Amino acid sequence: GAGVSQSPRYKVAKRGQDVALRCDPISGHVSLFWYQQALGQGPEFLTYFQNEAQLDKSGLPSDRFFAERPEGSVSTLKIQRTQQEDSAVYLCASRPGASEKLFFGSGTQLSVL
Amino acid sequence: GIQVEQSPPDLILQEGANSTLRCNFSDSVNNLQWFHQNPWGQLINLFYIPSGTKQNGRLSATTVATERYSLLYISSSQTTDSGVYFCAVRSRYNTDKLIFGTGTRLQVFP
């Protein structure tokens, strides 16, 4: 596709519910990143993939957060037993192998009630 | 970890004015990028500029890596420039993750 695509655009979950957020990177982009952005804050790093390998997951806030990219393209961020503090915008970004520039999707706004 | 601070936190301009946004970072970096987040939340990459100076239309950026700062210049501002400007850096001693600054919120009025 022309850009990084994320779905759903908005997600409302009840506390304790599991959610799955999808990211379709730009075709051919090797690296994929997930960021979390709280209201009024800058994006904070969650995890990073190079192809299907998860090279850095140091930013995942708890073991309720899990990310995968099984075939090296589409990625899913899963949050189990959601809590109110998980409410944020979740941003996905991708980068081609030969460039340092990062391209972001529009994000998924998660609200946990 | 590396700290990234931006100033000013908020900036209000009238259309046509010029402005300078600053990004200070606490450690050596090998990657620095400037982003604009529009009012709809979309992050747009403006510059990849680990050192030196680049220009793109009314925008230009300068990074002085040895002194650990970068500047983003906006000339003849337009209402469409409104939004939040972030710089993001990667420590030369770390993995591939970009660390984002605190942001500068710009509002341009007609």
Side-chain angles (χ1 to χ4, degrees), chain B residues 17-68:
Chain B
N18 303 328
S19 61
T20 301
L21 283 56
R22 186 176 179 102
C23 171
N24 292 330
F25 40 95
S26 61
D27 205 347
S28 297
V29 301
N30 60 9
N31 185 331
L32 188 146
Q33 299 183 38
W34 282 96
F35 293 88
H36 174 223
Q37 190 165 41
N38 65 24
W40 296 271
Q42 179 69 50
L43 272 163
I44 305 297
N45 195 307
L46 299 175
F47 293 103
Y48 165 68
I49 185 166
S51 64
T53 297
K54 288 187 178 179
Q55 180 153 7
N56 185 1
R58 296 181 297 103
L59 303 182
S60 63
T62 295
T63 297
V64 184
T66 53
E67 297 186 22
R68 300 183 182 171

Side-chain angles (χ1 to χ4, degrees), chain B:
Chain B
I2 192 167
Q3 304 297 313
V4 186
E5 293 188 1
Q6 293 183 240
S7 59
D10 295 279
L11 191 55
I12 300 174
L13 298 175
Q14 192 158 26
E15 211 168 21
N18 303 328
S19 61
T20 301
L21 283 56
R22 186 176 179 102
C23 171
N24 292 330
F25 40 95
S26 61
D27 205 347
S28 297
V29 301
N30 60 9
N31 185 331
L32 188 146
Q33 299 183 38
W34 282 96
F35 293 88
H36 174 223
Q37 190 165 41
N38 65 24
W40 296 271
Q42 179 69 50
L43 272 163
I44 305 297
N45 195 307
L46 299 175
F47 293 103
Y48 165 68
I49 185 166
S51 64
T53 297
K54 288 187 178 179
Q55 180 153 7
N56 185 1
R58 296 181 297 103
L59 303 182
S60 63
T62 295
T63 297
V64 184
T66 53
E67 297 186 22
R68 300 183 182 171
Y69 73 90
S70 183
L71 302 174
L72 178 69
Y73 306 95
I74 305 174
S75 64
S76 304
S77 58
Q78 301 176 359
T79 55
T80 51
D81 295 332
S82 297
V84 183
Y85 290 80
F86 290 103
C87 74
V89 305
R90 183 178 72 200
S91 167
R92 57 184 295 193
Y93 306 113
N94 210 324
T95 62
D96 248 332
K97 60 186 177 187
L98 282 179
I99 305 300
F100 279 75
T102 49
T104 291
R105 181 173 299 275
L106 174 64
Q107 297 179 73
V108 181
F109 291 95

Side-chain angles (χ1 to χ4, degrees), chain A residues 4 7 9 11-12 15-16 21-22 28 31 33-34 40 47 52 66 70 91 97 101 103 106-107 111:
Chain A
V4 179
S7 61
R9 186 73 177 90
K11 177 68 179 178
V12 179
R15 191 168 47 187
L21 312 180
R22 177 187 170 104
S31 301
F33 299 78
W34 284 98
T47 187
E52 68 278 5
F66 172 77
L91 295 162
K101 288 185 72 170
F103 297 88
S106 299
S111 300

